[in-house]
Amino acid sequence: MTDPIKLAVLGSTGSVGRQALSLAEAFPEHIEIVGLAAAASLEPLAGSVIRFKPKAVSVLGPDEAGKLAALLKARGLRKENFPEILSGEAGAASVAAHSGAAAVLSAMAGAAGLKPTWAALKAGLKVALANKESLVLAGELIRPMISQISPADSEHSAVFQALGGKLTGQGIRRLILTASGGPFLGWTAEQLRCVTREMALNHPRWSMGPKISCDSATLMNKGLEVIEAHHLFGIPYDLIEVLVHPQSAVHSLVEFVDGSQLAQLGPADMRLSLAYSLSHPARWPVAGPKGCRSPLGIEALDLTLSSLTFAEPDRKFFRGLALAEEAGRRGGTAPAIMNGANEEAVRGFLTGRIPFVQIIPVVEECLNILPIDRVSTMEGVLEADKRARLEAGKIMERFEKKSLH
């Protein structure tokens, strides 16, 4: 029996991070948690510290670090048993690269996950990647280290498995990424004008955090995954397609030049792809057989489904998908600008600054206004991200003033 994987979890209190920790609880013989990074969800983080006894923990800032220490003391943890408590971007990067981890799960939401992911890769560690923004922003820089990455998202894991646990393959005609279509599939443009925060976060198939749920509702999430797939598998954009598959049973497919198509099917639960990103080529019993749930409460896919349907996405209606694909093809800093503007616009919608239908127009205007530069350094990528966020803020401010009159 091999020793358990020493794992650092970045974004441990988010949706993906919590699912990863449930895997660690279910399979202690396979996973040992040595590092945790979160932002400001201190109560669940304190519980994870006591449960898993990591060596290092990082939080948003010094204030949160002090509050976490107080919480741990209040819960009876002796100071000599405290983990090293770090904070900020440097703290998360240190947890990734210097906590004694052999593998890092990158599951922080958005562009905030880039620096710690970069630190883990530069340290030569294996990275289970659930933070697609790392490759969206800096895929051109990360590509030389791509062999250190194993995909943790369900769609890219599906392609990875169809390629036999490899990031490249021979004789590929196209990659087909499937999309559920989100909560607004079949809606009219007029109906979208009435979308509320609660509606956008009510995904019909997957349990995800607010930002990813909102991206799924606009189909921007699938556009980000197209860019990620391009960098992960080294496949030209012209060979990557998206099909809407509402049942979310087929997680993605690979079509080969002879016309054969290999698909990966499974229940809509990200813990399967998370586990495979850490275990491959071995597999852990994450889902139980039909009629018998695993200790995690997951049952294997019921193959007596009434139907499996696939359809081309409407890129005029789901303009976010088309914008992301366009940014990917333009390359350079275009994906970083697109992603930064989208993160700010989504935040604007979630906090009530702009309506749902204004998210994608904000992104499009930023791409039209800001210059696209070559990507040569991480500093250049982060500067493009910063410019996009500032410009998106100005656009939303103009919208707010206009809506008042």
Side-chain angles (χ1 to χ4, degrees):
M1 183 176 176
T2 59
D3 292 333
I5 300 164
K6 294 183 183 295
L7 181 67
V9 179
L10 309 178
S12 66
T13 60
S15 174
V16 176
R18 294 195 305 271
Q19 292 178 76
L21 294 182
S22 74
L23 283 173
E25 282 193 300
F27 301 107
E29 71 277 20
H30 294 313
I31 301 173
E32 177 187 350
I33 301 297
V34 297
L36 298 171
S41 299
L42 301 181
E43 287 282 353
L45 179 59
S48 295
V49 168
I50 291 170
R51 168 68 181 83
F52 295 105
K53 302 177 178 62
K55 297 176 182 177
V57 176
S58 179
V59 290
L60 185 63
D63 287 348
E64 287 79 12
K67 291 175 183 177
L68 177 63
L71 275 173
L72 294 175
K73 182 179 179 181
R75 293 191 180 195
L77 191 66
R78 297 172 64 88
K79 193 164 185 179
E80 59 267 27
N81 295 326
F82 275 28
E84 182 181 11
I85 301 178
L86 307 166
S87 65
E89 288 184 343
S94 183
V95 166
H98 304 299
S99 61
V104 174
L105 171 63
S106 175
M108 295 175 73
L114 174 56
K115 281 190 175 180
T117 301
W118 179 253
L121 291 170
K122 295 289 282 185
L125 301 178
K126 176 181 178 180
V127 174
L129 189 65
N131 173 261
K132 58 182 65 66
E133 289 83 0
S134 291
L135 285 177
V136 170
L137 271 73
E140 295 175 29
L141 299 176
I142 291 173
R143 182 66 196 167
M145 297 179 283
I146 210 72
S147 62
Q148 294 170 231
I149 292 176
S150 58
D153 278 338
S154 62
E155 296 84 357
H156 302 92
S157 177
V159 174
F160 187 56
Q161 293 180 60
L163 293 176
K166 299 177 182 178
L167 292 175
T168 58
Q170 298 296 316
I172 296 172
R173 179 181 288 162
R174 58 177 177 155
L175 302 185
I176 304 170
L177 304 180
T178 55
S180 70
F184 307 132
L185 184 63
W187 284 42
T188 66
E190 190 60 36
Q191 286 175 308
L192 289 183
R193 295 183 184 279
C194 302
V195 166
T196 65
R197 186 182 192 274
E198 290 69 27
M199 291 175 181
L201 301 187
N202 186 26
H203 196 281
R205 293 287 177 181
W206 294 90
S207 174
M208 304 179 292
K211 198 275 182 177
I212 299 177
S213 295
C214 197
D215 281 349
S216 181
T218 63
L219 238 65
M220 175 61 81
N221 196 50
K222 203 54 52 178
L224 301 180
E225 289 175 4
V226 168
I227 299 174
E228 183 181 7
H230 165 74
H231 291 297
L232 265 178
F233 302 106
I235 299 296
Y237 283 105
D238 289 345
L239 303 185
I240 304 173
E241 298 184 19
V242 173
L243 290 178
V244 174
H245 170 53
Q247 296 81 19
S248 296
V250 176
H251 298 303
S252 281
L253 309 90
V254 176
E255 181 176 290
F256 296 92
V257 293
D258 63 355
S260 299
Q261 295 176 342
L262 292 186
Q264 186 263 336
L265 288 77
D269 193 305
M270 197 172 165
R271 284 174 290 184
L272 275 76
S273 56
L274 279 171
Y276 191 70
S277 71
L278 297 169
S279 71
H280 77 87
R283 292 181 183 269
W284 302 334
V286 179
K290 182 180 176 181
C292 182
R293 294 181 181 273
S294 72
L296 286 162
I298 309 172
E299 186 179 329
L301 184 69
D302 181 1
L303 292 176
T304 61
L305 292 167
S306 58
S307 64
L308 298 177
T309 60
F310 301 88
E312 291 281 351
D314 183 344
R315 284 172 169 79
K316 290 183 179 179
F317 188 76
F318 290 112
R319 179 66 181 145
L321 172 59
L323 277 179
E325 291 171 330
E326 177 188 331
R329 286 187 170 90
R330 291 174 72 179
T333 56
I337 290 169
M338 177 272 301
N339 183 78
N342 181 65
E343 287 192 18
E344 288 304 306
V346 168
R347 184 179 291 111
F349 164 66
L350 293 175
T351 56
R353 289 187 68 186
I354 61 172
F356 180 80
V357 293
Q358 283 295 319
I359 294 173
I360 299 307
V362 169
V363 179
E364 187 164 21
E365 188 169 342
C366 282
L367 278 170
N368 289 337
I369 291 173
L370 296 175
I372 308 302
D373 302 318
R374 292 181 60 189
V375 168
S376 56
T377 65
M378 185 62 69
E379 289 73 21
V381 168
L382 296 173
E383 179 59 30
D385 172 77
K386 180 180 178 180
R387 289 200 312 268
R389 292 173 188 276
L390 289 172
E391 191 63 42
K394 293 176 184 177
I395 295 168
M396 288 190 288
E397 187 176 351
R398 290 201 302 271
F399 175 85
E400 287 177 305
K401 289 180 179 178
K402 185 178 179 180
S403 66
L404 290 174
H405 295 292

